[in-house]
């Protein structure tokens, strides 16, 4: 240990915090990757839309001329948002881990 025990303790705490942040970042990246995974889709989310959007959504799903799956598009958008806002994704990851215990 150096001449300055308090300084050494601060250095150790800073190093530990950096390691924790890196571990958290890795865990959040894995969480975001899992969001986009091909695993079982068992949860649903819902949000209100106007009648015009509902008709459009239904037509997108029914159309044979449009090569798109609206559900996949929404999931892809959520993944892009998670990558754009990793701090929010990290918070979601931590809540998911707590609820999964």
């Amino acid at each position: 240990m150096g001449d300055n025990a308090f300084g050494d303790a601060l250095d150790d705490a800073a190093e530990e915090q950096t390691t924790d942040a890196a571990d958290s970042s890795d865990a959040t990246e894995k969480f975001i990757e899992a969001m986009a995974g091909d695993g079982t889709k068992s949860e649903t989310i819902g949000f209100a839309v106007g009648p015009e959007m509902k008709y459009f959504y239904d037509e997108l799903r029914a159309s044979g001329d449009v090569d798109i799956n609206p559900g996949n598009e929404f999931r892809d958008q959520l993944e892009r948002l998670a990558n754009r806002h990793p701090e929010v994704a990290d918070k979601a990851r931590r809540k998911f881990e707590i609820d999964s215990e």
Side-chain angles (χ1 to χ4, degrees):
M1 196 172 263
D3 293 335
N4 184 350
F6 182 70
D8 291 342
L10 287 177
D11 291 343
D12 291 345
E15 183 177 321
E16 184 177 316
Q17 189 173 19
T18 301
T19 301
D20 290 347
D23 291 346
S24 179
S25 179
D26 290 343
T28 301
E29 286 179 29
K30 289 178 184 176
F31 177 78
I32 293 171
E33 289 172 9
M35 284 176 47
D38 292 331
T40 303
K41 309 287 189 270
S42 61
E43 300 291 327
T44 60
I45 58 175
F47 48 92
V49 297
E52 298 85 357
M53 189 174 286
K54 172 70 169 113
Y55 277 87
F56 178 67
Y57 177 84
D58 289 342
E59 285 304 311
L60 273 176
R61 290 182 54 203
S63 177
D65 298 331
V66 179
D67 187 25
I68 190 171
N69 179 326
N72 285 342
E73 292 295 319
F74 288 121
R75 284 188 287 275
D76 291 346
Q77 180 61 22
L78 287 173
E79 182 187 358
R80 284 190 293 272
L81 287 169
N83 282 303
R84 194 174 309 147
H85 302 285
E87 68 284 351
V88 177
D90 184 58
K91 188 174 181 180
R93 176 193 58 82
R94 287 182 276 136
K95 286 181 178 181
F96 175 76
E97 287 175 351
I98 289 168
D99 289 345
S100 297
E101 289 180 350

